Amino acid sequence: MRPLRYSINVTLDGCCHHEAGLPPDAESMAYWTAEMERVDALLFGRLTYEMMESAWRKPSAGTWPDWMSESDVPFAAAIDKAKKYVFSSRLAEVDWNSELVRGDLAHAVQQLKQVPGEGLWVGGVMLPTALADLGVIDEYEFVVHPTVAGHGPTLLAGLRDRIQLELVDRREFRSGATVLRYRPVPGAA
């Protein structure tokens, strides 16, 4: 069974807006590139899909935009080629190596988890909260930035029940950001 990992950048005050943390550097981009390359597929809600596609899809001209740094290109290539499942009732169709998923969220995710492979990755805000409420996330990975945003969407806001987690890995970046990886404690609430 493929594990499902929720990964996101977050500030010290729990803000998970994509622009609230530190600007990405070569070290963090290499980390996120490796994370993209070690999963079989990405799960997105509509908003995250649209945001990621607008930033990281390879232009039809075939060359990456000038705004990308040398460390951005491997990440862009990894996410561009990754298989994506988009959970949306609003979108009529998707492309960018993506498949639109509709219907019962729990059933659809359980089916994806049953396919043999290395794992699934989910990012964003709303879809991961729904998945956490369903209890289908196997690992939580937070890249905590030494920043206080003071505003913006917060991590897992609106979660119905408390989730008890155990720390399974920790890594620090030179920037001061810390990667914290957790797994749910079985039977704890």
Side-chain angles (χ1 to χ4, degrees), residues 74-104:
F75 175 80
I79 198 168
D80 185 63
K81 74 178 180 181
K83 173 67 179 169
K84 299 159 198 78
Y85 294 96
V86 181
F87 294 79
S88 174
S89 59
R90 291 187 182 177
L91 292 173
E93 60 182 35
V94 293
D95 57 3
W96 193 42
N97 197 25
S98 301
E99 184 177 320
L100 190 58
V101 182
R102 298 190 193 276
D104 182 75

Side-chain angles (χ1 to χ4, degrees), residues 4-5 7 12-13 22 27 31 35 44 63 65 70 91-92 94 109 118 144 151 168 177-178:
L4 174 59
R5 183 177 349 105
S7 299
L12 289 173
D13 57 340
L22 296 174
E27 183 180 27
Y31 179 81
E35 292 300 295
F44 291 139
T63 57
E70 189 175 311
L91 292 173
V94 293
V109 171
E118 296 301 312
V144 183
H151 67 283
V168 295
T178 303

Side-chain angles (χ1 to χ4, degrees), residues 101-182:
V101 182
R102 298 190 193 276
D104 182 75
L105 179 61
H107 179 73
V109 171
Q110 288 298 344
Q111 282 188 309
L112 290 171
K113 289 177 77 170
Q114 294 299 325
V115 175
E118 296 301 312
L120 302 166
W121 182 95
V122 64
V125 178
M126 294 168 52
L127 177 61
T129 300
L131 296 173
D133 274 336
L134 292 170
V136 297
I137 297 177
D138 302 296
E139 195 170 87
Y140 293 80
E141 176 183 47
F142 307 124
V143 179
V144 183
H145 294 264
T147 302
V148 176
H151 67 283
T154 56
L155 187 63
L156 298 169
L159 195 62
R160 285 191 308 236
D161 295 314
R162 184 175 116 167
I163 301 171
Q164 185 68 38
L165 303 173
E166 64 179 331
L167 182 66
V168 295
D169 193 28
R170 174 189 168 109
R171 176 180 173 180
E172 293 184 26
F173 293 152
R174 288 183 298 277
S175 67
T178 303
V179 179
L180 300 170
R181 188 170 289 172
Y182 297 92

Side-chain angles (χ1 to χ4, degrees), residues 44-80:
F44 291 139
R46 178 185 59 84
L47 292 173
T48 303
Y49 168 76
E50 289 173 342
M51 179 184 69
M52 297 302 256
E53 182 186 28
S54 70
W56 301 111
R57 183 177 189 155
K58 192 167 191 172
S60 57
T63 57
W64 296 107
D66 291 339
W67 65 262
M68 284 190 186
S69 70
E70 189 175 311
S71 61
D72 291 335
V73 172
F75 175 80
I79 198 168
D80 185 63

